[in-house]
Amino acid sequence: MDLDFELGALAAQEDLPAPLVRRLLQHPGARRKAARLRRDLTGEQIEEIIALGSGHSLAANPWVPAPVKARLAEHPDPALRYAAAASATDEPPGLLARLADDPDPLVRSFLTMNENLSAELVARLARDPDPDVRKWLPQHCRNVPQAVRRALFTDDEPDVRRAAVAFWPATRTPAYAGPSPPTPNCPRRCATCWPRTRTSWSATRSPAARTPHPN
């Protein structure tokens, strides 16, 4: 079996003695696995992982203490901020808002993957000046305010609109589905039959749904 695989699997096992974990941190593959998966990393081990250049794996670990995540979220290395943005909680309060203002658009893009975003931060990312950030939002956020969905469906950038349609195909509601043709029995666009949403237009095609024209 591959030695790297074996050491990585060992580094992820629970209840390893601290001296053994320390030895495994000297191996790059095992160190990355331990940094990303272990729940019991000590402060000393965390510092060693950062010093050895695997802070990006540490930033993706959901069990790392909040103060460490906050430190990584403000690290000068953008790779660490990418990982922290995707998984950090809002501790201390305001951390996610600071990441939403990060000057690197990739940090803001990775923030769209974070499951801890408030509706306010989702709305802020939907207004981000970089279209790539707005394009990432539909790929990773599902439960977002209707106003945000509407804004991205009508975004000035075609790529953003395409992403919204591709990842939110079932969310196009009458509010922004656009007008549909008049009913088959109505040769003119009267106020009763025009405009109709796609949903109501489909319903009128059903024999059970057809009713005599009001005029």
Side-chain angles (χ1 to χ4, degrees):
M1 185 177 290
D2 184 79
L3 179 61
D4 288 343
F5 178 84
E6 289 184 347
L7 291 177
L10 179 62
Q13 289 185 11
E14 297 181 0
D15 301 324
L16 287 181
L20 180 54
V21 173
R22 182 76 180 272
R23 288 181 59 188
L24 289 169
L25 294 183
Q26 307 310 309
H27 184 277
R31 180 173 64 249
R32 288 192 294 270
K33 186 66 72 69
R36 191 170 63 253
L37 298 178
R38 294 201 67 84
R39 305 183 183 207
D40 58 354
L41 292 171
T42 65
E44 183 181 0
Q45 291 166 349
I46 287 172
E47 292 302 325
E48 186 166 5
I49 288 169
I50 295 173
L52 290 172
S54 294
H56 59 288
S57 297
L58 189 67
N61 187 329
W63 296 286
V64 167
V68 176
K69 275 288 180 70
R71 175 182 162 194
L72 296 174
E74 297 177 351
H75 199 280
D77 183 351
L80 273 65
R81 304 202 306 277
Y82 301 159
S87 61
T89 60
D90 201 27
E91 296 180 29
L95 174 62
L96 296 182
R98 291 199 298 275
L99 287 166
D101 289 331
D102 194 283
D104 190 327
L106 262 180
V107 173
R108 306 195 303 273
S109 294
F110 274 92
L111 186 61
T112 67
M113 303 169 63
N114 195 305
E115 297 179 352
N116 302 304
L117 293 178
S118 65
E120 179 184 356
L121 285 177
V122 170
R124 185 190 301 189
L125 292 170
R127 299 189 302 268
D128 194 277
D130 192 303
D132 284 339
V133 177
R134 305 197 303 274
K135 186 173 66 176
W136 277 44
L137 194 62
Q139 301 179 49
H140 303 293
C141 294
R142 294 295 181 265
N143 299 320
V144 301
Q146 195 74 339
V148 171
R149 297 173 185 266
R150 191 177 300 115
L152 295 185
F153 273 116
T154 58
D155 195 277
D156 291 339
E157 290 291 334
D159 285 347
V160 176
R161 298 197 301 271
R162 280 192 285 267
V165 170
F167 291 96
W168 293 334
T171 62
R172 286 173 285 180
T173 66
Y176 48 93
S180 298
T183 61
N185 296 328
C186 180
R188 54 193 179 279
R189 300 180 179 184
C190 68
T192 304
C193 300
W194 187 273
R196 286 185 181 274
T197 65
R198 285 184 171 83
T199 301
S200 60
W201 167 236
S202 298
T204 62
R205 298 183 66 86
S206 168
R210 288 180 184 145
T211 58
H213 188 272
N215 295 331

